[in-house]
Amino acid sequence: MTDQPPQERIFLSLADVGEVEEQYVREALRSGWVAPLGPHVDALEREVADRVGVQHALAVNSGTAALHLALLHLGARPGTKVVVASMTFAATANAVAYTGAEPVFVDAREEDGNVDPDLMLDAVRTLQAEGEQVAAAIPVDLFGRIADYTRLAPGLADLGVPLVEDAAESLGASLEGRAAGTFGRAAALSFNGNKIMTTSGGGMLLTDDTALAEHARKLSGQAREPVPWYEHTEIGYNYRLSNILAALGRAQLARLDEMIARRREIRQRYIAALADLPVTFLGPQGATGGDADDNCWLTTLTVDRGPGAPAVVEAMSQQSIEARHLWKPMHTQPVFSGARSFITGASERLFARGVALPSGSTLTDDQVVRVIEAFRRCLG
């Protein structure tokens, strides 16, 4: 009996970098600009602002930093509340905790995992009726699909609560012709290594609010006052993005549409190949229908009968394929066990049955076939 050679592992969402990225980074290194300032930082900020359609963009070292800076300007602090989508990565809630404000979690809608807009508005009304100060509300554009801002934006405006859009996963997505990152008083993008485009680590704060942009820029550079010596009147942060990483980001931005198109193609192959199985894809059958406006960062589904998510993820891993659970809801995380929440049970059901399939734009056609065959074996 001959041992079979181990199969190459297929990852969830690898960075897609090549010759264009090498060219940009090489130029940045040779220019001598190796500090958290430089022409590539300025250019990336301008190019992202133009692409999204906002007045101001601030390059920072993570999407979490962008959220933190926006919340600080909006007055999040001890004694205030910030209403947050529960189904999200921990960074959304952690940014609230950094300010000293209390996160209040709101459940998802079942069809795509994005926050339930009516429940979020009810949560704000309830808190305000109790005399609480709500400093901001943070919906999350989950897995590259924009939340329902047609209801949230006017609703929060009527209640006088600033909307901060966590668009970490949604650069390149749109809703009714508007780009992700344009729906709130401020928005945060992530350029982490597994996102739709990357600077290896990094992020961007977007806003049309000039005062917010200027304050955040000051805070991101240790809050130095504009005088010839080092003068500080408030606590700042070392949050700026380096010129070398910004160069990588500019190359990635130039290829963004190409990478989105490949992820969409992979999603459509999954949908067609798994149509006879008891699964439901998040988003494509959702409230707005189709996925033409998504950036298709991750393709996610629920297994409606048979094994739950833990068994599927484990079985895929045994076949050298990285599938992932959907985000574990924040209101079920031990670190936020005492936090208030407005819950329907939707996000817990999605977590129990939901799986993210490998979705990166570097996946070959043969790798997509391997994922499909492995997933079918999981469901017997």
Side-chain angles (χ1 to χ4, degrees):
M1 181 175 179
T2 304
D3 290 340
Q4 294 293 320
Q7 288 186 299
E8 180 186 12
R9 186 164 179 79
I10 297 174
F11 292 95
L12 187 75
S13 181
L14 284 179
D16 184 351
V17 297
E19 293 182 1
V20 177
E21 285 78 5
E22 289 181 17
Q23 176 185 338
Y24 271 76
V25 172
R26 190 183 309 117
E27 188 280 328
L29 284 167
R30 290 176 176 172
S31 74
W33 286 96
V34 293
L37 290 171
H40 284 292
V41 174
D42 298 338
L44 180 63
E45 290 178 343
R46 185 172 61 251
E47 289 165 5
V48 171
D50 289 345
R51 163 79 194 218
V52 173
V54 295
Q55 293 184 36
H56 307 286
L58 172 66
V60 289
N61 60 17
S62 69
T64 317
L67 287 173
H68 185 201
L69 294 171
L71 290 171
L72 287 171
H73 179 80
L74 295 172
R77 60 183 184 279
T80 67
K81 313 282 186 185
V82 176
V83 180
V84 184
S86 183
M87 188 135 198
T88 182
F89 179 56
T92 318
N94 287 344
V96 177
Y98 297 164
T99 69
E102 180 183 331
V104 176
F105 296 111
V106 177
D107 216 328
R109 59 184 185 187
E110 204 118 10
E111 60 263 36
D112 62 4
N114 277 327
V115 71
D116 182 326
D118 295 324
L119 192 60
M120 179 167 263
L121 295 174
D122 286 345
V124 172
R125 290 190 197 97
T126 299
L127 292 167
Q128 289 180 329
E130 294 171 357
E132 301 285 359
Q133 181 180 350
V134 182
I138 312 180
V140 180
D141 303 334
L142 212 65
F143 307 126
R145 188 177 184 84
I146 293 179
D148 188 357
Y149 296 115
T150 57
R151 300 174 71 83
L152 282 169
L156 290 170
D158 288 344
L159 294 168
V161 172
L163 190 165
V164 177
E165 180 186 356
D166 186 342
E169 304 169 6
S170 64
L171 176 62
S174 62
L175 175 67
E176 298 182 348
R178 286 183 62 181
T182 65
F183 293 94
R185 180 87 170 272
L189 302 176
S190 171
F191 302 141
N192 194 23
N194 67 354
K195 290 299 189 297
I196 194 78
M197 64 164 267
T198 185
T199 55
S200 75
M204 191 79 79
L205 174 63
L206 307 174
T207 184
D208 287 328
D209 184 328
T210 300
L212 190 155
E214 291 177 349
H215 189 205
R217 187 173 295 276
K218 174 185 164 185
L219 292 176
S220 72
Q222 300 284 24
R224 182 182 176 186
E225 297 294 331
V227 294
W229 51 88
Y230 288 103
E231 179 100 357
H232 307 273
T233 60
E234 59 185 323
I235 298 297
Y237 304 86
N238 185 12
Y239 276 173
R240 295 310 311 273
L241 188 72
S242 82
N243 192 60
I244 294 173
L245 298 187
L248 174 57
R250 292 186 68 199
Q252 288 270 282
L253 185 63
R255 298 180 51 234
L256 178 61
D257 290 330
E258 162 197 330
M259 294 189 289
I260 290 173
R262 177 58 179 162
R263 287 181 188 254
R264 173 163 293 112
E265 180 182 347
I266 292 167
R267 173 178 291 182
Q268 292 305 317
R269 290 194 62 181
Y270 286 148
I271 291 173
L274 305 176
D276 60 318
L277 298 181
V279 300
T280 301
F281 285 86
L282 271 64
Q285 289 85 21
T288 56
D291 69 358
D293 295 333
D294 296 17
N295 70 7
C296 297
W297 173 55
L298 291 183
T299 292
T300 54
L301 54 76
T302 55
V303 180
D304 301 328
R305 296 194 305 276
V312 172
V313 170
E314 175 58 26
M316 296 286 279
S317 180
Q318 289 177 1
Q319 299 175 77
S320 295
I321 295 171
E322 183 188 23
R324 287 267 185 97
H325 295 272
L326 306 188
W327 303 126
K328 183 178 180 181
M330 288 299 106
H331 71 271
T332 67
Q333 297 284 357
V335 70
F336 294 117
S337 60
R340 188 166 180 185
S341 55
F342 292 77
I343 300 304
T344 63
S347 59
E348 292 179 54
R349 289 191 291 274
L350 288 168
F351 175 64
R353 308 298 298 180
V355 177
L357 298 176
S359 306
S361 51
T362 63
L363 284 177
T364 66
D365 288 347
D366 287 345
Q367 288 175 322
V368 173
V369 170
R370 265 188 64 197
V371 173
I372 291 168
E373 291 176 348
F375 188 82
R376 294 188 70 88
R377 280 194 290 274
C378 292
L379 271 64

